[in-house]
Tab-separated table of all heavy atoms in Angstrom:
chain	number	residue	atom	x	y	z
V	168	GLY	N	9.126	-6.647	28.192
V	168	GLY	CA	8.375	-7.723	28.819
V	168	GLY	C	8.897	-8.071	30.197
V	168	GLY	O	8.123	-8.403	31.104
V	169	ARG	N	10.209	-7.989	30.365
V	169	ARG	CA	10.825	-8.347	31.642
V	169	ARG	C	10.847	-7.181	32.619
V	169	ARG	O	10.756	-7.382	33.841
V	169	ARG	CB	12.255	-8.840	31.400
V	169	ARG	CG	13.095	-9.084	32.640
V	169	ARG	CD	12.522	-10.156	33.558
V	169	ARG	NE	13.353	-10.340	34.730
V	169	ARG	CZ	13.314	-9.552	35.817
V	169	ARG	NH1	12.449	-8.528	35.874
V	169	ARG	NH2	14.115	-9.789	36.838
V	170	PHE	N	10.973	-5.950	32.124
V	170	PHE	CA	11.128	-4.790	33.006
V	170	PHE	C	10.085	-3.712	32.691
V	170	PHE	O	10.426	-2.594	32.268
V	170	PHE	CB	12.534	-4.203	32.863
V	170	PHE	CG	13.643	-5.139	33.212
V	170	PHE	CD1	14.387	-5.760	32.212
V	170	PHE	CD2	13.938	-5.422	34.529
V	170	PHE	CE1	15.418	-6.644	32.532
V	170	PHE	CE2	14.964	-6.301	34.866
V	170	PHE	CZ	15.706	-6.920	33.857
V	171	PRO	N	8.805	-4.010	32.912
V	171	PRO	CA	7.774	-3.010	32.617
V	171	PRO	C	7.856	-1.783	33.513
V	171	PRO	O	7.265	-0.744	33.206
V	171	PRO	CB	6.470	-3.776	32.851
V	171	PRO	CG	6.840	-4.860	33.823
V	171	PRO	CD	8.235	-5.260	33.450
V	172	GLU	N	8.590	-1.905	34.602
V	172	GLU	CA	8.688	-0.783	35.544
V	172	GLU	C	9.704	0.273	35.109
V	172	GLU	O	9.784	1.343	35.729
V	172	GLU	CB	9.067	-1.300	36.941
V	172	GLU	CG	10.492	-1.819	37.094
V	172	GLU	CD	10.656	-3.294	36.726
V	172	GLU	OE1	9.874	-3.794	35.899
V	172	GLU	OE2	11.593	-3.931	37.270
V	173	PHE	N	10.495	-0.002	34.065
V	173	PHE	CA	11.508	0.951	33.613
V	173	PHE	C	11.054	1.662	32.336
V	173	PHE	O	10.152	1.194	31.627
V	173	PHE	CB	12.842	0.241	33.346
V	173	PHE	CG	13.466	-0.377	34.573
V	173	PHE	CD1	14.287	-1.487	34.464
V	173	PHE	CD2	13.241	0.142	35.838
V	173	PHE	CE1	14.863	-2.067	35.585
V	173	PHE	CE2	13.811	-0.423	36.969
V	173	PHE	CZ	14.628	-1.535	36.839
V	174	ALA	N	11.687	2.782	32.047
V	174	ALA	CA	11.459	3.493	30.787
V	174	ALA	C	12.426	2.917	29.755
V	174	ALA	O	13.645	3.039	29.909
V	174	ALA	CB	11.695	4.988	30.972
V	175	ILE	N	11.900	2.286	28.724
V	175	ILE	CA	12.714	1.626	27.709
V	175	ILE	C	12.299	2.161	26.348
V	175	ILE	O	11.122	2.116	25.991
V	175	ILE	CB	12.548	0.100	27.770
V	175	ILE	CG1	13.007	-0.425	29.142
V	175	ILE	CG2	13.317	-0.587	26.645
V	175	ILE	CD1	12.731	-1.894	29.378
V	176	ALA	N	13.265	2.696	25.590
V	176	ALA	CA	12.920	3.319	24.313
V	176	ALA	C	14.040	3.143	23.300
V	176	ALA	O	15.227	3.184	23.638
V	176	ALA	CB	12.624	4.804	24.504
V	177	ILE	N	13.654	2.957	22.040
V	177	ILE	CA	14.615	2.916	20.931
V	177	ILE	C	15.043	4.346	20.619
V	177	ILE	O	14.205	5.239	20.464
V	177	ILE	CB	13.969	2.267	19.694
V	177	ILE	CG1	13.703	0.778	19.949
V	177	ILE	CG2	14.856	2.445	18.460
V	177	ILE	CD1	12.935	0.085	18.835
V	178	SER	N	16.355	4.572	20.509
V	178	SER	CA	16.847	5.906	20.175
V	178	SER	C	17.538	5.958	18.813
V	178	SER	O	17.879	7.036	18.333
V	178	SER	CB	17.805	6.413	21.257
V	178	SER	OG	18.887	5.527	21.445
V	179	SER	N	17.778	4.808	18.189
V	179	SER	CA	18.284	4.748	16.813
V	179	SER	C	18.020	3.341	16.294
V	179	SER	O	17.456	2.511	17.004
V	179	SER	CB	19.785	5.071	16.748
V	179	SER	OG	20.563	3.930	17.046
V	180	GLU	N	18.462	3.053	15.089
V	180	GLU	CA	18.233	1.728	14.510
V	180	GLU	C	18.921	0.629	15.300
V	180	GLU	O	18.536	-0.539	15.204
V	180	GLU	CB	18.720	1.699	13.060
V	180	GLU	CG	17.884	2.563	12.116
V	180	GLU	CD	18.370	2.489	10.686
V	180	GLU	OE1	19.438	1.873	10.455
V	180	GLU	OE2	17.693	3.036	9.801
V	181	THR	N	19.930	0.972	16.090
V	181	THR	CA	20.678	-0.048	16.822
V	181	THR	C	20.791	0.214	18.322
V	181	THR	O	21.455	-0.551	19.017
V	181	THR	CB	22.108	-0.183	16.250
V	181	THR	OG1	22.758	1.095	16.316
V	181	THR	CG2	22.085	-0.667	14.808
Side-chain angles (χ1 to χ4, degrees):
R169 172 61 181 81
F170 300 103
E172 70 273 27
F173 296 152
I175 299 173
I177 292 174
S178 57
S179 83
E180 292 181 353
T181 57

